Amino acid sequence: MTGAALPLWAEITIAALVLAGATIALLGSWGLLRLKTYFERVHAPSIIATMGCWCIMHGSIVYFSLQGQGLALHALLIALFVAITVPVTNIFLMRAALFRAR
């Protein structure tokens, strides 16, 4: 299934959002490698998973909404799931690390 060509403003917006998400993921990965202790490193994947995911999600919503029959919110469900599970997982990992450090 091939869709119609997107307007220039949409292509620029989608490209900027996806590029921003990829840049955030790259910087977060670099921070994960650069930081020394576990307690410093635990924050980098959170930034990757939340900020990068949300930028790519917004680009995906714009793209699929313009290609389809209406507003496409399926990417929002994925981003909401990531936004809920990442902080909870981080809290449990930090508590386990604090318990182990004692």
Side-chain angles (χ1 to χ4, degrees):
M1 180 171 123
T2 60
L6 294 175
L8 181 61
W9 67 267
E11 289 181 355
I12 291 171
T13 302
I14 293 165
L17 286 168
V18 171
L19 187 60
T23 303
I24 291 168
L26 178 66
L27 291 174
S29 299
W30 182 58
L32 185 62
L33 291 173
R34 187 174 160 260
L35 298 172
K36 292 176 180 37
T37 67
Y38 173 77
F39 296 104
E40 293 172 345
R41 277 184 276 166
V42 76
H43 297 288
S46 299
I47 293 170
I48 294 170
T50 53
M51 290 175 57
C53 176
W54 280 90
C55 286
I56 293 172
M57 181 266 310
H58 282 93
S60 177
I61 286 176
V62 171
Y63 176 78
F64 286 112
S65 293
L66 292 175
Q67 289 289 346
Q69 301 284 328
L71 189 60
L73 295 178
H74 57 279
L76 182 62
L77 295 174
I78 297 168
L80 284 175
F81 180 73
V82 169
I84 291 169
T85 57
V86 167
V88 172
T89 305
N90 246 357
I91 289 169
F92 286 134
L93 289 173
M94 288 295 287
R95 284 186 181 184
L98 284 172
F99 179 74
R100 192 167 188 195
R102 289 183 190 169

